Amino acid sequence: MTTARYALAIDVGGTFVDVTLCNLADGRRRVDKVLESEGPLEGFVSAVRRILAMAEVPAAEVCRVVHGTTLSTNTILEQSSGLTAVVTTEGFQDVLEIGRHDAPREGDINRWLKPRRPVRRHQILTVRERVSYDGTVVTPLDEAELDRLVEGVRALAPESVAIVLINGYAAHEHERRVRDRLSAEFPELHLSVSHEVLPQIGEYERTFATVLNAYVQPRITTYLSALRRELDALGVEAPLYVMSSDGGILSAAEAADFPINTVLSGPAAGAAGATAYACDLGFTEVVTLDVGGTSSDLACAEGGRVDVTAHGEIGPFPIGVPVLAIHTTGAGGGSIAEHAHDRFTVGPRSAGAQPGPACYGGGGTRATVTDALLTLGWLPQRIAGGVVELDAGAAERALRDTLARTLGGTAVDAASGVVRIANSHMANAIRQVSTEAGRDPRDYTLVAFGGAGGLHAVPVAQQAQLARVVIPPHSGVFTTEGLLAADLTRFFVHSFPSLPRLGGIDLDELARVFDELERRGHKWLDNDPLVESRSLTRLLDLRYLNQSFELRVRVPSGPLTPEVLGQAVEDFHTSHTERYSYAMRDVEVQLVHARLAVSGVLPHPPRGRIAGRAEGDAALPGRDVHFHETGWVPARIFDRERLAGGQSVAGPAVIQDYDSTITLPPGSTAQVLDDGGLLVDLTTNAGGGSR
Amino acid sequence: MTAAMDGAPGRTGMQTLDPITREVLYSGLKAAVREMEGHVERTAMSPSFKDKKDYFVGISDASGRLVHALLGLSGAGLVAPVLDGFPTAGMRPGDLFFYNDPYGTAGAVQHLPDAVVVRPFFDDENRVLGFVTAYGHVEDVGGSQHGSLPADATDVFQEGTAYPPMRVGADDEVFDWFVRLLRRNSRAPELIAGDLGALVAACRLASERVAALVGRYGRQAFLDTVEWAIGMTADRVRRVLEERVPDGEYHATDRLDGVGPDGRPRQVVATLRKHGHELELDLSGTSPQAAGPINYIANLSGVQLLFARNLLVYDPLLETNEGILAGLTRLTTAPGTLVDPTFPAPIGFRSQTKSRLQNVLAALLAEATGGQMTAPMPVYVTCSFRFPGIPGERGHYSDTVGVGMGGRPFGDGPDVVYGIGQRNYPVEMVEPGHPLRVEEYSIAAGTGGAGRFRGGCGVRRRIRVFADCVLSPRMGNTEIRSVGLNGGRPGSLGSVTIERADGSVEAVPGIAAAIPLRAGDIVCLQTAGGGGWGDPLERAPQEVLRDVREGFVSAERAWEDYAVRIVRTDGGPAVDEAATAAGPRGARDAVGAPDGEGGSGGAAGTGGADGLVGQTKERSTNA
């Protein structure tokens, strides 16, 4: 394997397959974007074939393949899987249906309709059994019950089964027995067991995680086996990894067993990659912004680590397993602007891919953010490497007919308003991920990507008062950078159902818990041949007595002494003060989980990236561009591929890449980095903030 | 008592600000409220805050008008009691006000555990520009029993300590004397102090956010935005009423469980009179006040908010600000009645009467609009367990239990929902915290009222106690079924049953104080179903079949209520087309049944039903 030195990253999104081939020895990349028209499998295979040919790299030189996929997300949102059954404790058949018996707070109870569950009530089987949270068997699970269950499963003939018993997170024995029996009877059946998927207290969230896992398992397993076969056929023998929602990667086998961990695969890759890029530049406090067609995704990283949440959602359902905290705001390129009943709104309705923005010429007549950007001169007439020609007349017509007429201004006035409102949605969303968590935005760097990220980045960052903006190279296919940067990661968790007070905890027992978690962590990493180094971090999920939300603090490895615990409590008070502006030092601190963050570091390219640069003059013919503060001003236009490292570009300017566009408002200046990245420092600029 | 608004919310000083800036500013204010919400949820301590989400946050202007708030069943008019006692001229940045006194504030809060914090914010010349408000249901404020909601209360003094509106802090610090006073009068001093900290911190945070917005756009832009937002919302409300509700007089009555002191059924009696933009709700025919704690101090802004929630069925884009309250312009009540009790009548369980008022509001609108209103929901249920021998939080548990919601004009009522947005206690968390075990938590099949759109089902929760304790259930609709609308049938009744360890079973009243339980006894709470919407014969047979297959409706009820004959086959239940056609459906079939679309839920992600109301109205008119 001495010749294998390339990492291959493939992100299969809704419309395109983005692919990057990276030489791990020198960091050189080849990137490509392929239309995904015949399904994810075909898209993946043709992208791999094409980039290997383009780069003239033999398949055997690829040492790892990392994949970002939307398959599990789509399967859940479209409810397109086969039949899944659930086995649960008698008396608790309706945990899934009842949920947390709350309707969404936003919106109206008199209008709300309950979302239909992916598994219906008659597909839920029960067994007579009950185990207490401390492991005491209250009602034994006898063999006759299991026989009855087997018949029930046989009658339903599901493709997969989720096994979730009450208190199964703490006492595993009955869940194991159900699993063993079913797997003996039905060897082909996919089984998901709650204490393996999400070993945490709270029956509804654990049930949903296990059910969703079971629900997507058949499709993901088939898909990943097919990918493996196709890679083998192409001569790529390197291991296949799948991006996980928590910013790490999983082996293909593990992704097939626990596909619930891949529901935010693509967005997580983007957020993690953007953070890794900023860290390379020395900025560890980061807000990431990915502007897409219907919405924008944001995440926040502190100390180089992206926020992780246990409260993630997919559609109307909880995910339960830890995921990167990615916030979505309904403002993207296709968001429709409306002026009706004295309201001027942008999104959440979107023109989507069909008919798309008016300027795409697909028959759209509603004005979108993209139409506004084109009308203001922020977008060039041709985008996507010149393939798509935009219809400026159609954009202006849409703005005039649907907005300007009732607003009483010109199409340009309306366009300027659309962009200001879209930017303000994004800035509010940034506040949600930064200030809401007690963070000072002035310490943060905005890393913007996606085809339209660079159009909004500078005015949005100004409005949200961030310190600077970074636009990485190849920002249109940037998600693949996250795939390349990711390491193997996984949390190993131990629950404390009795919620002991940290002051009175048995240190020897806690030490044993961590030892066991570490043993499992090492065993997990032993399976992977590519791991170069390992890191195991001990964490405690703590809260004040009677609170419902935990904060996570680190504890050092080594002996657990009263001093170490004392420091953990101190760190908790500090963290609470940072997040919520106060601490309660006279209130006891409770332990909810002991947690081990395990990471296996894979080979990565050297820092300081080199992009394939083009020759020639970067300056293109100028054009007038409209900004809210200045009105129309002559702006300079640049070809991003030809900008030289060290150069600076002063706004008003537009920098055009083959798959993305960056706008610099008057008063802002971008430094071109050696790898083609752009850095806009907002602390020294005059401002000229776009409201 | 008659209360009326001083004219419509302002339409002065408008049009000075461009439509873009005001949208940007308003969305900034909304973001501040959202941020406050998350802050309270993550830091509060009382279970009713943190798990049930029984709290409210909002921003008001200098005159106390709501600028934006989290939508709830309470929360309008929270600033007025502070303004009554404290002129804005004397307020300083960092001042904190507090109250929980229902009678002292004419019903701004409606029972004593609801604790309100109000904090003014200022412009750069130290003029009060508005207020941030936050309240939550705290664990205990004293009175005769833990939780401050004794079922046997005969006056409000037994329900806890009343704190009239007071200035309780300066420079964003709560005065030490007040914290000591509050703690001293609570059985849960840590919780109440923690909750106060959470409310104060959230108010401070939102004040900072608003100050930053005002700093950026200026005082005048803020004022203009407030006027625009309130005026624009009020206009929308008036338009809805103009289009939907013809001038005239409408009547509705809804009964509570039990009989009043006069020996007659307890009921909320309402008349709605509409004349142009004047809309008066007259509740003066309501039953005399109760000796027990089900009385509800109805005030104009509180009832306006309840009314406004119904209007959201017609226009989901109404903003939650003073403008949404503009629909109802006058409230008339008679002193000494359930909705206008005379001090010191007890009020702890006011939701029993308040929910009947919600029902009559829905019924009035249904009458005025030809049935186009969501059927009301039964009142939500709580049930408290006190273990005299067990100290601390372990010895007290208050369960919250959902009910079935009413059918909508465009879809089925959801099953098992508690009030608004308030969550259940996970079964797995009850057990480690208290000497209790939940032995069953399942949907009470068949309890939803029949209708073209079915009412939601209630729930069955069976709880075993492991130590002697006393039980205080609070469940409505154990005698009076929650009504359906537009031809929909009422939901089933709820019940509280005790299964004694010796095998005997006894039914107890829905509202009762301190029923003794022995270790090993089981309490079975089965809650009421929501009423249906529309004629059950118009429900598509395939939807009835689906309900039977999934166990929401039995095959027997499918025939009796829906006239759909379901038979068992090897492939599961199926519709017997011939038998169905031979029944009542066939008899009326010349008219033609509606198509099979538009039942409940739809695909995952269906969160609402914009625009469907009008569409359904047309369909049902044709049918």
Side-chain angles (χ1 to χ4, degrees), chain B residues 65-420:
Chain B
R65 294 181 305 165
L66 213 52
V67 174
H68 182 70
L70 190 66
L71 189 64
L73 286 173
S74 309
L78 286 180
V79 178
V82 172
L83 288 176
D84 285 348
F86 301 88
T88 51
M91 293 181 183
R92 294 167 40 80
D95 278 357
L96 299 167
F97 297 88
F98 180 96
Y99 65 86
N100 74 329
D101 179 7
Y103 281 105
T105 61
V109 280
Q110 298 139 16
H111 61 182
L112 288 158
D114 286 347
V116 184
V117 173
V118 178
R119 183 193 187 282
F121 55 85
F122 294 78
D123 66 10
D124 51 11
E125 289 169 35
N126 274 348
R127 288 173 294 186
V128 170
L129 207 47
F131 296 88
V132 177
T133 51
Y135 89 57
H137 184 131
V138 300
E139 178 76 5
D140 184 88
V141 289
S144 70
Q145 275 180 28
H146 187 119
S148 309
L149 295 170
D152 54 1
T154 54
D155 72 35
V156 72
F157 295 99
Q158 294 154 14
E159 298 180 318
T161 312
Y163 302 89
M166 291 185 288
R167 182 165 162 270
V168 301
D171 301 322
D172 281 316
E173 289 289 333
V174 181
F175 298 131
D176 186 51
W177 65 261
F178 182 67
V179 177
R180 285 192 293 150
L181 182 68
L182 198 64
R183 291 180 64 119
R184 180 63 183 74
N185 284 290
S186 173
R187 293 182 186 82
E190 284 78 20
L191 298 189
I192 200 168
D195 291 338
L196 183 65
L199 292 173
V200 167
C203 286
R204 185 171 58 221
L205 176 93
S207 301
E208 283 168 13
R209 297 291 176 261
V210 178
L213 284 167
V214 173
R216 179 172 194 122
Y217 297 99
R219 168 191 167 85
Q220 195 56 46
F222 173 81
L223 296 175
D224 289 351
T225 300
V226 169
E227 289 305 332
W228 159 73
I230 292 175
M232 166 266 294
T233 307
D235 285 348
R236 284 183 89 119
V237 164
R238 291 197 196 95
R239 195 163 48 240
V240 164
L241 290 172
E242 255 171 49
E243 287 169 5
R244 300 271 183 173
V245 181
D247 279 4
E249 203 172 283
Y250 306 96
H251 304 275
T253 295
D254 197 30
R255 278 182 59 189
L256 288 83
D257 287 349
V259 291
D262 55 358
R264 296 167 58 186
R266 288 196 177 104
Q267 52 191 11
V268 173
V269 178
T271 301
L272 187 69
R273 295 186 194 95
K274 179 163 183 290
H275 180 72
H277 289 319
E278 295 298 313
L279 192 62
E280 181 196 3
L281 182 70
D282 184 344
L283 301 175
S284 49
T286 297
S287 299
Q289 71 186 53
I294 61 171
N295 303 297
Y296 164 55
I297 306 174
N299 71 10
L300 179 62
S301 50
V303 179
Q304 283 175 322
L305 186 64
L306 297 181
F307 187 73
R309 295 185 61 88
N310 289 319
L311 300 181
L312 285 160
V313 172
Y314 305 129
D315 182 353
L317 299 180
L318 292 173
E319 296 285 355
T320 314
N321 61 39
E322 197 75 12
I324 200 174
L325 308 179
L328 203 62
T329 52
R330 184 179 291 267
L331 173 69
T332 303
T333 56
T337 59
L338 280 174
V339 292
D340 191 357
T342 304
F343 179 79
I347 49 180
F349 292 180
R350 55 89 171 83
S351 58
Q352 300 297 321
T353 295
K354 189 176 178 180
S355 72
R356 299 306 104 182
L357 177 55
Q358 286 174 260
N359 292 0
V360 297
L361 291 173
L364 290 166
L365 282 167
E367 189 193 345
T369 60
Q372 294 300 307
M373 179 45 60
T374 295
M377 62 174 161
V379 60
Y380 53 84
V381 176
T382 66
C383 184
S384 124
F385 297 81
R386 257 184 324 114
F387 297 86
I390 299 174
E393 292 101 33
R394 196 172 164 74
H396 181 260
Y397 174 67
S398 182
D399 205 18
T400 59
V401 194
V403 296
M405 316 269 321
R408 285 98 234 277
F410 43 80
D412 288 350
D415 313 295
V416 199
V417 174
Y418 180 93
I420 21 157

Side-chain angles (χ1 to χ4, degrees), chain A residues 411-446:
Chain A
V412 171
D413 295 336
S416 170
V418 171
V419 173
R420 282 175 68 206
I421 289 176
N423 287 348
S424 114
H425 286 327
M426 293 180 205
N428 282 334
I430 288 177
R431 290 201 194 96
Q432 227 180 318
V433 300
S434 58
T435 56
E436 189 165 317
R439 294 160 169 155
D440 188 337
R442 289 167 297 188
D443 299 335
Y444 280 76
T445 300
L446 181 69

Side-chain angles (χ1 to χ4, degrees), chain B residues 265 334 426 561 581:
Chain B
D561 292 343

